[in-house]
Amino acid sequence: MIRKTLYIVLLLFTITSCRKGGLKKVASFPLSLKEASAAEMIPGSSLIWTIEDSRNRNVLYGVNEHGTLIKEIEISNAKNIDWEDLTSDTYGNIYIGDFGNNKKERDHFTIYKVTDPMAIEHSTMADVITFKLPPNFKPMNFEAFFIYQHHFYIINKANKETKMFKVPNTIGNHTAEFVCSFDLDCEDTKITSAAISQDNKTIVLLNKSMLWKITEFHSDNFCEATIENRSFNHFSQKEGICFKDNQTIYVTDERVWFIGGNIYRIEID
């Protein structure tokens, strides 16, 4: 009780010095979705896809822009150890990142590939991609990833240093490759979700109070690209981000008591 109360107080009174920009609420999730932990859109569909994180059902949900639940797909061969983020490819396949590791006890992680979710009625078996960290890296907690040039780019959740790794988008077992470390230049840099635009020119990283926009990158040298931060001037436990188009993004947050459980829209240009 005390912990939740302190959390809400911090949400209401935290002040940030980064560049400000507002969110526009467009809908709320159904009350049955308390811990919406991701957001993703796929080509040819207006649904916003989401999941719930650890200890919740192994289900992929699709809601419309009014927050109405339209699709509910059980991943029959998956266990929700700690599902954290969603990404997708140009063919409309969705990938579920089961790589949350708050207690730093996991050394192997899973990505589930859900092929053509719009064609699935109620249940499906996913293809499975697994990875471990390179040697000499201690266990980390991950909550964000995106696809670029046939690889997953996976970002850890940490305040001291934000690291990025990559894994081939190929069914099977892999050892991740370290890409780079970000200098995000803000007090709270715990990344909770990531997304890349349809034209592959803009990447966004999310935390509870702001986003970072990454542009002007060449190949996958993202850490040396142009990075701008933007505060929402709005505080809740934001866990999902995705592109509606190349300039418009959706942001989602978890419901904590009477705060959150919503879908927001923001223009990033």
Side-chain angles (χ1 to χ4, degrees), residues 134-170:
N136 303 320
F137 281 92
K138 295 180 179 180
M140 297 181 188
N141 182 28
F142 299 96
E143 291 197 9
F145 74 148
F146 60 90
I147 292 176
Y148 179 72
Q149 294 185 351
H150 310 294
H151 282 77
F152 301 104
Y153 287 84
I154 305 162
I155 302 154
N156 76 321
K157 182 181 181 181
N159 250 340
K160 293 182 180 180
E161 188 176 31
T162 301
K163 295 182 175 67
M164 176 183 282
F165 299 83
K166 71 177 181 180
V167 172
N169 184 0
T170 306

Side-chain angles (χ1 to χ4, degrees), residues 83-214:
W83 292 8
E84 288 292 354
D85 204 10
L86 296 173
T87 189
S88 63
D89 59 30
T90 56
Y91 302 103
N93 304 311
I94 285 185
Y95 301 81
I96 302 168
D98 187 350
F99 39 51
N101 193 22
N102 287 316
K103 295 183 179 180
K104 309 296 191 302
E105 295 175 344
R106 303 176 69 180
D107 53 15
H108 285 75
F109 308 94
T110 304
I111 297 170
Y112 295 105
K113 178 182 179 181
V114 182
T115 302
D116 192 11
M118 289 302 297
I120 300 169
E121 289 295 328
H122 303 292
S123 178
T124 191
M125 291 186 65
D127 292 318
V128 179
I129 301 159
T130 65
F131 70 93
K132 61 181 180 180
L133 292 178
N136 303 320
F137 281 92
K138 295 180 179 180
M140 297 181 188
N141 182 28
F142 299 96
E143 291 197 9
F145 74 148
F146 60 90
I147 292 176
Y148 179 72
Q149 294 185 351
H150 310 294
H151 282 77
F152 301 104
Y153 287 84
I154 305 162
I155 302 154
N156 76 321
K157 182 181 181 181
N159 250 340
K160 293 182 180 180
E161 188 176 31
T162 301
K163 295 182 175 67
M164 176 183 282
F165 299 83
K166 71 177 181 180
V167 172
N169 184 0
T170 306
I171 307 305
N173 305 317
H174 305 280
T175 298
E177 178 183 342
F178 176 67
V179 178
C180 62
S181 295
F182 286 98
D183 180 10
L184 295 177
D185 191 29
C186 269
E187 184 177 347
D188 183 355
T189 58
K190 293 182 177 179
I191 303 303
T192 58
S193 187
I196 189 168
S197 60
Q198 292 92 329
D199 62 8
N200 283 339
K201 293 182 178 180
T202 306
I203 296 163
V204 285
L205 310 179
L206 178 74
N207 80 355
K208 65 183 180 183
S209 59
M210 69 181 66
L211 66 79
W212 290 263
K213 182 173 75 169
I214 303 173

